[in-house]
Amino acid sequence: MNDLAGCGYPGHAAEVSHARPALEAIGLCKRFGPLQVLDEVSFKLGQGAFHALLGGNGAGKSTLVKCVMGYHAADRGTVLVENRECAIGNPRDAHRYGLGMVYQHFTLVPEMTVLENLVLSRLPIPAMIRWREEKQRLAALMEEMPFSVPLDRKAGELAAGEKQKVELLKQLFLQPRILILDEPTSVLTPQEADSLLGMLKKRTRSHRLTVLIITHKFREVMDFADAVSVLRRGKLVYSGPLAGQTPARLAELMTGSEEIARTVTREKVEEKPVRLEIDRLDVASDHGARAVKELSIRLRGGEIFGIAGVSGNGQQELVQALSGQRRPDRGAIRIDGSPYAGTRREMARFRLRCLPEEPLRNACVPRMSLAENLALRTFDRPGFTRWRWFVDAKAQKTQARELIERYRVHPPEPERRLDTLSGGNVQRLVLARELSGQVELLIAANPCFGLDFAATAEVRRQLMQARNRGAAVLLVSEDLDELLELSDRIAVMFEGRLTYESWTAEADLDTIGLRMAGH
Amino acid sequence: MNVRVPAQVLESLLIPVSALLAALLLFGIFLACLGNDPLAVFHSMVRGGFGSAFAWRNTLERAAPLMLTALCTALPAQLGLIVIGGEGALVVGGVSAALAGGLAFEDQTPWLAIAAMLIAGTAAGGAWIGLVGWLKHYRGINETITSLLFNYIAIALMNHLVTGPWRDPASLNKPSTRPVGSAHMLGDMPGLGVHWGLALALALCLVCYTVFRQTTFGFAVRIAGGNPRAARLAGLPVGLLTLITCFWAGAAAGLAGSIEVAAIQGAANASLAAGYGYAGILAAFLARQNPLAVIPVALILGGISASAGLLQRSHHLPDAAVLMLQGIIFITILSSETCYGRLQPWLDSRRRA
Ligand SMILES: Nc1ncnc2c1ncn2[C@@H]1O[C@H](COP(=O)(O)OP(=O)(O)OP(=O)(O)O)[C@@H](O)[C@H]1O
Ligand SMILES: [Mg+2]
């Protein structure tokens, strides 16, 4: 019933593409090994359109746009830019045809400063770079932006949200005629996302720009897009104007008949003892500045403590200190009263688990298989070893099969290399690993970043379930709605300190907004 | 979907072998330019390396230190480190062994003296590369550069010691430490005519393979090598893993040095720095950093270098010809690294067509 593919339906197409299409893809096919990731996908981008591309995790959205950009070579199919057939062999060709893209995984050179990254992305790179002028130009460009990024910091030191902003800025700096965005708003606050999309929308109005945006957020689609395409398991199931579509209808198009997790209600939990105690913690960032300053938190079992704040205010360093990735400078972390230093034994003893941001970079080994990645927490536990010291690959595989099925990681092949998974599926895999077993203390940072709505609902359900079971959850997120929905207590982090703290039920949204902005 | 694993295995065999053949081809062209008959030279190489019992013995004696120095590169590679300090660790190990055997344990029973030599060499080599690992992890200094520079330091140190404070006055034209004495030398394996060092090297390769590929320790090392951030998230002590792995690596090369002293040279002198450490890097890359594959690779390279004498005698090729072949192999092997991961897509496209 969902396959009433509206693609190429002339009446609608004419409405959207005011004149000739800016970009057209015809019959794109792409296989990875046995997996048909794209199956005869054709779509048109009208000139000056704001076109949304929807689809569940692993539907092939990223692959589709990467084929258009020449990052992957499509097996079959053609791409037309302004009605001319283009042989786009690599992203540099695409750049020449006026295409620009913000990738889902960041592409900045970590060892270079933001300024260098931005300037070097321009092609051809001028023989001589006038750094002062470039900096002024960028500063001027940033004036128009709803956000700013630190030009002199190294890209590798930035938090996910900041990196995303740099990637966006890079594309706006390059001024492509067609801009493709792969989940650009996943780590931005809703306000930031709105102002960014609003700005892009304004540019499309004057036909200076055509936008193709991949997103999992229906709100953004409904507010900004004027056309939409929906992919499901590599097939295009709808492409046409947005008018007449409802979020429910789009969701149905995306999933077919897959069931969506129902939300779990917050249960009344009797007051439990303090589980995590952070006492005047100081953590330095990579470049030595104090990122977390004298931060104290007391977290009880059966409670979700939410930390709001704009990315880059020390949340990343706090999470790293708790997850064992960074050593604090001063202060103490105590769990159940005993000091905690992030060792493997302590993690196992306190049943501490962690969902960091950018899971591919922080929580996975790209070159290893799914089964091995799922065994990161368990490989040396009883039941997963033979003769005490030897790895039991069979037990790992059994565990992997079970987790992959339970968390619907796609494709369900334990032997597959992790770096061939789609962004959302990497996220699901980390969830599967971290939430399985009896979690008693969970540190989560933007856990729904990059997940489709079905998976988002699932994660939130899991977090709430863990809480109801009596686990303590520290939830760091840039999505205020998520925090308001999930947390029992909410705090705002600004420049390394908690500047606001309240019971969520009594929280004052205006004050939160002000504190996030540093007032 | 079951084709994927074999394709990978096939690649890791096919690509090094083709690289080796390509290197032989290039070397053949070079030989032809010199006016030699390449086929005849290759025939001599096989004869000189594997043609007779004598040739085999010669080959095996060269293969043993090669296996050990190859481990010095292959083990840190599991952590994603490129260590090329095998030569230095071998030299340091050899000097320490000579010191232990020639000075400290001179009057002890033979087995005690031999054990002391091997242990001293192993520990010294381990500490040497362990220091490289420490500098890498705690000070962020590039391990490739440090290990390379450490080679020069080790050789200079040895030269200083054997020509200076520890010089045996009896060694006239080749400055050496005091000989350990024939009673304290590592003997031959019965019936083979090859010293026990070969058995030690083979055993160590097997142990390393087991430890690094099958134990939880090896798994932890591979996680840390694949992504240190994820390793820390899992609570693994990345620094400690680095230190232990680098110590093992250096210990293997140090053992090679002590075997050279205890079984061949009888004392530490400039012949220790005979290039086994550098050839070991080549062996490790040819073996794709697999401790088990190091064994056959070391045999081949050992055979090639064993044939140098014959090449010199019957084809009037300079001694350096063998080094040149090694260099060519290194270049083809490194270039072949870009070929991995292409077989599967090619097979797929074939199947579809
Ligand atoms: N390099 C690759 N090798 C093998 N398979 C791949 C590769 N890249 C992607 N895939 C597979 O292709 C499918 C589609 O991936 P893609 O990244 O396009 O998904 P997506 O729609 O962007 O999902 P998400 O919302 O999770 O980012 C996935 O099942 C993935 O496993
Ligand atoms: Mg994607």
Side-chain angles (χ1 to χ4, degrees), chain B residues 22-186:
Chain B
L24 287 177
L25 188 72
L26 286 176
F27 187 57
I29 294 174
F30 166 73
L31 290 173
C33 291
L34 283 186
N36 277 296
D37 175 6
L39 289 180
V41 174
F42 290 150
H43 184 240
S44 302
M45 273 168 64
V46 175
R47 221 152 45 88
F50 310 97
S52 61
F54 172 77
W56 265 102
R57 228 172 291 145
N58 195 351
T59 297
L60 289 174
E61 259 168 21
R62 286 162 194 268
L66 269 181
M67 288 174 202
L68 293 169
T69 50
L71 289 179
C72 188
T73 298
L75 299 187
Q78 316 292 318
L79 265 176
L81 303 182
I82 300 178
V83 167
I84 55 175
E87 187 88 357
L90 182 144
V91 165
V92 167
V95 171
S96 315
L99 181 68
L103 298 178
F105 287 83
E106 212 179 357
D107 307 322
Q108 300 291 334
T109 45
W111 68 267
L112 198 63
I114 289 175
M117 280 197 284
L118 296 183
I119 290 171
T122 311
W128 194 250
I129 301 297
L131 189 59
V132 171
W134 187 87
L135 285 170
K136 165 72 184 171
H137 186 79
Y138 295 98
R139 288 287 171 269
I141 307 178
N142 182 297
E143 76 284 357
T144 315
I145 309 280
T146 27
S147 57
L148 177 67
L149 297 182
F150 267 38
N151 287 342
Y152 299 126
I153 299 177
I155 293 170
L157 200 65
M158 172 188 70
N159 285 335
H160 169 69
L161 291 176
V162 299
T163 55
W166 293 348
R167 176 169 183 175
D168 175 17
S171 62
L172 291 177
N173 36 21
K174 193 176 188 188
S176 305
T177 57
R178 289 250 294 280
V180 296
S182 54
H184 293 178
M185 294 280 284
L186 197 60

Side-chain angles (χ1 to χ4, degrees), chain A residues 325 344 361-362 364 389 391, chain B residues 214 216 227 229 234-235 352:
Chain A
Q325 291 185 324
R344 192 168 175 81
R361 175 161 171 263
N362 280 311
C364 296
W389 302 111
V391 168
Chain B
Q214 273 152 11
T216 53
N227 184 355
R229 287 164 164 277
R352 235 171 301 144

